[in-house]
Amino acid sequence: MMVNVTARNVTYTPDCGSICPNKSETTDSDFDDLFESPNTGDMLNPLDIIIALFLGSDSFVQQEMALKMSMCQFSVPLLLPNCDTNQCTLMLWAMRDIVKKYRPQSLSESKGFIEERIVLSELPMISFVRLGECSSSKSEILNKLLTDSQQYHETFVHYNMECGDSPRRISNGLTEITWYLPCGNTNIDIFSQPVAVANLRGDIESFDTQYSFLCQTSAAVFVFFDHLDSECSLLTNPHHKAQIFLVGNYESKCFSKDALKEVANKLGLTKNNIIIKTKDKNDADLVKDLRKTITDVVKNPNMKMKIEQMAEIAHELGILVDEDSPECQTAKTNAEAITAEIQDILKYKENQLPCQGELWKELTCLEKEEFRLQNVGSKSIEDYRSELQLQKEELRKKQNSYDMSTAMTCFINAISSPGTERFYFLKWMRMNLDNVSRIKLSELREKYKEKCKNSENKEEIKEIDRQLSNSSLGTEHFFREMGQIYEASLSLPQTDPSRQQLQHLPKLCAELLLDGFPLELVDGDASNIPLRWVSDVLSQLSDLVSPNRKILVVTVLGVQSTGKSTLLNAMFGVQFAVSSGRCTRGAFMLLIKINEDMKNVLNCDFMLIIDTEGLKSPELAQLDNSYEHDNELATLVVGLSDVTIVNVAMENSTDMKDILQIVVHAFLRMKEVGKKSKCLFVHQNVSDVSAHEKNLRDRKWLLEQLNEMTQAAAKMEKKEENQSFTDVMEYSPDTGNWYIPGLWNGNPPMAPVNAGYSEAVYELKKNIIQLLGNCESSANDVSEFKEWMTSLWTAVKHENFIFSFRNSLVADAYMRLCTAFNKWEWEFKREMYTWVTNAETRISNFGTVARKSESSDIREFLTCLKSAASTLLSTWEARLQ
């Protein structure tokens, strides 16, 4: 679950205690022991452990394990044997969540890529099986076949691995699968096209069902043997569609040329279908021959098949399919009833999810304006607020005027179904919606690339850009619509049947939150919290758990695409969406129940994890209120947190510096914030052992800058008791910085996860648990958290000044400019007022002093005054510029 590539290296070390002889004394029997095999009876084969785990897990854990195994570049079970029933199961559901990206060499020039769910990819499958006893390790040769010597990785467990020589007890008959995916570089790629590789454990004579399955689903089957029986009926089955290739070891004592010739004639095999390892050929030469043969097969495969299509063949052969459970099939039907209707995502959202979008964005603007009163002008504040309230009511009426769409009716009915079926439904929905979004986004990217070639297409490019921003569609959009339908219904009379029918919705969501599903806290599109909806969900959650259950909050903040969701998934075993072709938007919260043994350490019952969207996204940077969006989000989540993880790409933390300054400044302005969040900087993609020591100066410099900003903010707010950043947030330059190496070890898509990544994340997790354990009774219960969130968001909505700035120094400069400008304005007004008063006096005295013809003198006098006024204005204009 922690994507640790050493996970299969499980060894059992017996406690020898007093049985172990004194090592300083050497006896004759000790020398005899050197020539005996160690007792492997207690050692478990890694494959047996994997089989035991899969057999002992429910469908959802199996799916998560398969996904993490695939990330580690381990093979995953395709056919899972069960020694109790002597039946095997096609693990279609377990592999459903695996999504792969690759670049076939046909796309290398255009730098394009293919991203798809692996069970839906139509790929040629090459299978490897063993007939009888075999002197060479088939799985070890497969590992060499799939990786080059510079990036060697043990995809398949083999005899020469740690514990690989332990006898297999329950894993014979297991068929594993992995995928070779090219990166588009001819110097690196072993095969230019993607290919699936299957490996059957055990002798095909004992597992003819699995062998028949592979022969009907594969483009080619490579049979490893030492000895061939000329009557071998298994190999001569006419129903088998795959090409057969024989791989023999000539050095084996039981190898027979005559038997090989006879079988080859029966099967109609040519010289190209037979690969023999001779005395002059080592494993490297054998691998070269295998690669050449597979390359030829992959170029012109006689069969390509999706894993999804293999279910039909499995049924014909009496193999079970893990997706055949009634709950899974009902949920699949319910999900497809909703997603099959999606043709155009934008139109679908407008028709089926009408309460969000522009209506919700307008409501958000009105809510914030109600607090900030930025456009009040000369109107009375009370009248202006009443006007805003009426506008809000009109928008709510508009939301209520929509009948609940077919999609939303189906969605609410499906998540109201009992236990497992509900979980299956949400998984199917997420996967189907991801598939739809991925196809749509891929088409739009291609269109965007084409239009960008011609600079005259500015309007079209702008339109595609807008579509790219709005073309993501996930389960969060359906839950968001639920929230808006519920909030709109609250404006109806209490006796209204429409309102009463929707009262159960918060409880549904609270149950899902308790089951570990993420709930959208901040809507990233509208930059708002549906406060009444989230509050009622949390109230229901409070009723579902025992009273006074304490929660601690951990939040991750960072710039876009720095691996925040991946970090949380690896650290806490949660399932925030990653690699689905779209980034996280807004903020999502997920509840983790704390085990009994950890409750005493953490002094809490639940941990709330908040995952946020990437700050400073290029998409939002074009908007006028981009600073506002980032600063509001950061202030809210940091204010809610006990520990804030500031995720930084590489060693440079300046990207996050501006955000943190605004957070601190906002805290100084908002009286409600009495909580002091602990701050940890996590620097990703830093593998240098000297990073912590070498970056000491940078860390000191960052803290000095943050202190300087805090002082500037405190001065502006006349709260000069706050002299440093650490007065507002807890942070230590020595212990508050963590350096984590890159996620991948090598060149994706064939790179496994870096072992150092998992270890560093584990150390970080231990540190966070220690920090949370030291929190002095800061844990709130659910209802206190709800109140805290409400008051904090209200305070954020009241803030109408600081969020619109990049950082505190810019705000300070603006304040000083305003002060200076006010001073200049006052001096200018005073000067003009004095001049006007003097001019009026001269005009009033004009008739009494003058004795000459007044008409000509008045004209002259007026010209003189106008000239003097113009000169004075020009002087001040020059000064103000």
Side-chain angles (χ1 to χ4, degrees), residues 468-605:
L468 275 167
S469 299
N470 297 324
S471 284
S472 71
L473 180 61
T475 49
E476 68 271 19
H477 291 92
F478 288 83
F479 282 113
R480 190 185 294 172
E481 188 72 9
M482 250 172 79
Q484 284 308 301
I485 291 169
Y486 176 77
E487 285 202 333
S489 75
L490 296 176
S491 62
L492 297 169
Q494 282 199 342
T495 52
D496 193 301
S498 304
R499 178 170 175 171
Q500 289 174 344
Q501 282 169 9
L502 301 169
Q503 292 307 295
H504 69 295
L505 295 184
K507 190 179 180 186
L508 269 182
C509 255
E511 287 168 356
L512 289 169
L513 197 55
L514 204 54
D515 286 326
F517 286 90
L519 173 72
E520 188 175 58
L521 173 65
V522 179
D523 174 349
D525 292 325
S527 191
N528 194 9
I529 297 180
L531 208 50
R532 189 64 195 273
W533 164 246
V534 175
S535 297
D536 287 0
V537 170
L538 290 172
S539 296
Q540 289 294 331
L541 179 68
S542 184
D543 293 342
L544 287 172
V545 299
S546 310
N548 303 320
R549 293 291 184 186
K550 299 290 183 187
I551 60 171
L552 287 170
V553 185
V554 176
T555 292
V556 66
L557 262 185
V559 176
Q560 190 174 315
S561 300
T562 49
K564 297 180 295 300
S565 303
T566 306
L567 178 72
L568 290 177
N569 291 352
M571 204 185 307
F572 297 111
V574 291
Q575 295 173 19
F576 286 115
V578 290
S579 302
S580 57
R582 48 196 181 84
C583 292
T584 308
R585 295 293 292 268
F588 289 83
M589 55 183 182
L590 189 145
L591 204 65
I592 298 176
K593 193 174 182 184
I594 304 295
N595 285 339
E596 290 299 323
D597 55 336
M598 287 301 294
K599 279 183 184 177
N600 298 330
V601 178
L602 290 169
N603 301 316
C604 72
D605 304 278

Side-chain angles (χ1 to χ4, degrees), residues 691-881:
H692 193 273
E693 198 63 34
K694 282 185 175 177
N695 287 295
L696 178 64
R697 283 176 61 222
D698 290 345
R699 295 197 300 275
K700 294 283 185 197
W701 179 74
L702 173 69
L703 186 59
E704 278 169 22
Q705 280 204 311
L706 290 169
N707 286 340
E708 187 188 328
M709 303 293 182
T710 308
Q711 284 161 19
K715 198 172 176 183
M716 281 171 69
E717 303 307 324
K718 297 183 174 55
K719 292 182 180 176
E720 294 184 32
E721 68 275 9
N722 295 292
Q723 284 299 312
S724 64
F725 177 71
T726 50
D727 290 338
V728 186
M729 290 179 81
E730 275 189 39
Y731 167 68
S732 157
D734 296 323
T735 59
N737 285 269
W738 290 77
Y739 296 91
I740 292 181
L743 177 65
W744 303 113
N745 180 26
N747 195 43
M750 289 308 293
V753 173
N754 185 351
Y757 179 86
S758 183
E759 290 297 333
V761 167
Y762 179 60
E763 288 303 315
L764 173 62
K765 181 182 179 178
K766 284 201 294 190
N767 183 260
I768 288 170
I769 287 170
Q770 193 179 337
L771 278 176
L772 289 170
N774 295 337
C775 284
E776 292 176 17
S777 66
S778 67
N780 298 319
D781 62 28
V782 178
S783 54
E784 285 169 341
F785 174 78
K786 182 192 78 172
E787 294 304 323
W788 178 247
M789 177 205 68
T790 308
S791 63
L792 191 56
W793 186 240
T794 305
V796 166
K797 284 195 289 191
H798 264 110
E799 177 54 68
N800 63 352
F801 170 71
I802 195 66
F803 289 147
S804 50
F805 294 102
R806 194 185 67 178
N807 61 40
S808 302
L809 287 189
V810 175
D812 188 35
Y814 178 80
M815 284 289 279
R816 277 183 287 155
L817 178 64
C818 286
T819 308
F821 189 80
N822 286 338
K823 188 181 168 188
W824 298 331
E825 188 182 32
W826 167 243
E827 285 176 8
F828 169 62
K829 281 181 176 177
R830 188 180 62 189
E831 190 93 6
M832 288 308 295
Y833 181 75
T834 307
W835 186 87
V836 169
T837 308
N838 290 338
E840 283 175 349
T841 307
R842 286 173 66 190
I843 291 166
S844 60
N845 291 339
F846 180 76
T848 56
V849 175
R851 298 287 182 203
K852 298 174 187 174
S853 168
E854 290 186 13
S855 60
S856 61
D857 285 346
I858 280 176
R859 281 196 201 96
E860 235 178 85
F861 185 53
L862 194 58
T863 307
C864 180
L865 284 175
K866 279 183 179 176
S867 173
S870 179
T871 306
L872 187 63
L873 284 169
S874 298
T875 308
W876 269 97
E877 188 180 0
R879 276 182 69 184
L880 288 173
Q881 280 177 344

Side-chain angles (χ1 to χ4, degrees), residues 451-467:
K451 296 291 179 190
C452 284
K453 288 174 185 173
N454 187 349
S455 57
E456 290 172 16
N457 300 326
K458 283 183 183 173
E459 282 306 310
E460 291 178 50
I461 290 170
K462 208 171 179 182
E463 176 56 26
I464 297 169
D465 206 30
R466 188 185 70 81
Q467 287 182 25

Side-chain angles (χ1 to χ4, degrees), residues 98-117:
I98 301 172
V99 175
K100 295 283 187 184
K101 279 185 229 172
Y102 60 91
R103 180 181 290 153
Q105 282 175 12
S106 55
L107 293 176
S108 58
E109 274 187 43
S110 65
K111 303 292 181 197
F113 69 96
I114 292 171
E115 180 182 19
E116 55 190 352
R117 212 165 280 284

Side-chain angles (χ1 to χ4, degrees), residues 307-530:
I307 295 174
E308 199 175 51
Q309 293 169 332
M310 293 179 187
E312 291 174 30
I313 292 164
H315 287 139
E316 287 169 16
L317 294 169
I319 295 170
L320 304 173
V321 179
D322 60 354
E323 269 182 17
D324 285 349
S325 69
E327 296 94 341
C328 183
Q329 288 304 311
T330 308
K332 182 182 182 181
T333 308
N334 291 338
E336 283 176 355
I338 298 172
T339 56
E341 299 298 314
I342 303 169
Q343 301 299 325
D344 182 315
I345 291 176
L346 293 176
K347 283 181 183 169
Y348 184 85
K349 280 160 108 171
E350 282 170 19
N351 298 333
Q352 298 292 327
L353 311 171
C355 292
Q356 54 190 277
E358 290 309 312
L359 274 179
W360 174 221
K361 284 176 187 172
E362 282 177 47
L363 268 165
T364 297
C365 293
L366 290 172
E367 268 184 34
K368 287 181 182 174
E369 181 59 21
E370 207 173 0
F371 287 100
R372 295 176 182 175
L373 304 171
Q374 288 171 316
N375 303 316
V376 64
S378 58
K379 295 174 191 170
S380 133
I381 289 176
E382 287 310 312
D383 290 346
Y384 185 58
R385 280 204 167 124
S386 303
E387 199 180 298
L388 292 174
Q389 193 59 39
L390 284 170
Q391 287 177 32
K392 277 171 64 181
E393 284 170 16
E394 279 305 310
L395 287 171
R396 287 298 185 196
K397 272 183 193 169
K398 208 168 181 182
Q399 285 183 325
N400 281 319
S401 69
Y402 294 113
D403 290 329
M404 194 185 288
S405 65
T406 318
M408 281 310 298
T409 307
C410 295
F411 184 81
I412 291 168
N413 288 340
I415 62 167
S416 305
S417 52
T420 317
E421 194 180 306
R422 177 199 292 185
F423 303 152
Y424 273 120
F425 169 74
L426 284 169
K427 272 280 187 183
W428 277 115
M429 277 296 287
R430 185 172 66 72
M431 292 188 294
N432 290 356
L433 290 170
D434 275 355
N435 294 345
V436 171
S437 287
R438 193 175 293 115
I439 293 162
K440 178 70 176 170
L441 287 166
S442 175
E443 288 169 4
L444 286 171
R445 281 193 206 105
E446 279 304 309
K447 217 186 274 184
Y448 190 79
K449 202 190 288 183
E450 283 302 310
K451 296 291 179 190
C452 284
K453 288 174 185 173
N454 187 349
S455 57
E456 290 172 16
N457 300 326
K458 283 183 183 173
E459 282 306 310
E460 291 178 50
I461 290 170
K462 208 171 179 182
E463 176 56 26
I464 297 169
D465 206 30
R466 188 185 70 81
Q467 287 182 25
L468 275 167
S469 299
N470 297 324
S471 284
S472 71
L473 180 61
T475 49
E476 68 271 19
H477 291 92
F478 288 83
F479 282 113
R480 190 185 294 172
E481 188 72 9
M482 250 172 79
Q484 284 308 301
I485 291 169
Y486 176 77
E487 285 202 333
S489 75
L490 296 176
S491 62
L492 297 169
Q494 282 199 342
T495 52
D496 193 301
S498 304
R499 178 170 175 171
Q500 289 174 344
Q501 282 169 9
L502 301 169
Q503 292 307 295
H504 69 295
L505 295 184
K507 190 179 180 186
L508 269 182
C509 255
E511 287 168 356
L512 289 169
L513 197 55
L514 204 54
D515 286 326
F517 286 90
L519 173 72
E520 188 175 58
L521 173 65
V522 179
D523 174 349
D525 292 325
S527 191
N528 194 9
I529 297 180

